[in-house]
Amino acid sequence: EVQLVASGGGLVQPGGSLRLSCAASGFSFSSYWMTWVRQAPGKGLEWVAYIKRDGSVEDYADSVKGRFTISRDNAKNSLYLQMNSLRAEDTAVYYCARISVPGYYDYWGQGTLVTVSS
Amino acid sequence: EIVLTQSPATLSLSPGERATLSCGASQSVSGNYLAWYQQKPGLAPRLLIYDSSFRATGIPDRFSGSGSGTDFTLTISRLEPEDFAVYYCQQYGGTPRTFGQGTKVEIK
């Protein structure tokens, strides 16, 4: 059974940093591109970043470019999102998801809430 | 950036009725690479339809997707109580990947 378990969310002050993790199981993690998607309270879905199978390609939404870094450790079946210079508008539930060719998200983690507030 | 506009914002229907949800794209979606997701309160989205018209694993056949180019439709042939939720379309034919703003299907 495919499982994605996101963790690492919490309350952080504006300008602070947080690192999210996503533990994958039930599939060959190194064979899939992975992505982070976020959802602000009461709002819709927003793509944040994706990363290639071997970590050699990354891309980011303009809203997070230069502040967030996506990475992965295939030996640990884990996906990460390092978030720096956090702003109030980054407050959201962050979901990790698996990408199936040619690009849809077929499995999602349960999400982890990030709150940026003083 | 491809902007997706979903209509209506809210659809009020009774169980057993047919639901038709629309997703319009600001430019043609390459490969008709469009997906539909269902989201219930407090839960992660769930993939329903990919590549415009293919049902994901385990999705009942009352869900169907159609369309091409800039106009796409999700149809639920007969609403079951568990189908009342928010539905999002997403395109993956261009970068950045974008989502529509969602259609809420509520019980009338």
Side-chain angles (χ1 to χ4, degrees):
Chain A
E1 178 193 6
V2 172
Q3 280 200 318
L4 296 169
V5 179
S7 62
L11 175 63
V12 60
Q13 292 188 337
S17 299
L18 211 55
R19 188 195 196 205
L20 306 184
S21 299
C22 175
S25 61
F27 66 102
S28 177
F29 181 70
S30 61
S31 298
Y32 289 85
W33 294 55
M34 297 293 294
T35 190
W36 288 97
V37 174
R38 69 183 180 183
Q39 186 170 37
K43 301 297 184 182
L45 301 168
E46 180 190 16
W47 167 72
V48 173
Y50 66 63
I51 187 167
K52 192 178 178 180
R53 287 178 289 268
D54 61 0
S56 62
V57 174
E58 306 162 19
D59 197 12
Y60 300 89
D62 287 345
S63 57
V64 307
K65 201 168 289 185
R67 301 187 298 123
F68 289 12
T69 302
I70 189 172
S71 62
R72 65 191 296 161
D73 185 338
N74 287 342
K76 294 183 177 180
N77 290 337
S78 293
L79 175 72
Y80 306 101
L81 186 68
Q82 178 67 43
M83 304 185 295
N84 298 331
S85 304
L86 283 161
R87 307 166 179 166
E89 54 265 35
D90 296 319
T91 294
V93 174
Y94 284 74
Y95 297 101
C96 55
R98 189 178 84 167
I99 303 176
S100 273
V101 175
Y104 56 90
Y105 306 159
D106 59 350
Y107 288 93
W108 296 63
Q110 87 289 4
T112 186
L113 175 62
V114 173
T115 303
V116 184
S117 174
S118 55
Chain B
E1 171 174 326
I2 298 177
V3 176
L4 299 179
T5 302
Q6 292 187 239
S7 62
T10 303
L11 200 51
S12 299
L13 295 168
S14 300
E17 289 193 292
R18 182 184 187 90
T20 302
L21 288 67
S22 296
C23 176
S26 60
Q27 56 188 279
S28 184
V29 176
S30 174
N32 295 324
Y33 289 147
L34 187 115
W36 290 92
Y37 302 88
Q38 176 194 68
Q39 188 178 32
K40 297 180 180 179
L43 297 181
R46 177 175 72 144
L47 175 69
L48 298 176
I49 300 288
Y50 64 93
D51 293 357
S52 179
S53 61
F54 293 87
R55 272 188 302 276
T57 303
I59 302 304
D61 61 7
R62 64 180 180 273
F63 291 92
S64 63
S66 63
S68 63
T70 60
D71 295 301
F72 299 88
T73 301
L74 174 70
T75 301
I76 310 171
S77 58
R78 293 174 311 279
L79 282 164
E80 296 288 339
E82 62 267 28
D83 299 336
F84 292 92
V86 179
Y87 293 83
Y88 294 95
C89 58
Q90 180 223 4
Q91 66 80 23
Y92 44 99
T95 300
R97 311 312 196 200
T98 50
F99 290 89
Q101 82 281 16
T103 290
K104 182 179 182 180
V105 179
E106 65 177 22
I107 299 177
K108 187 173 181 180

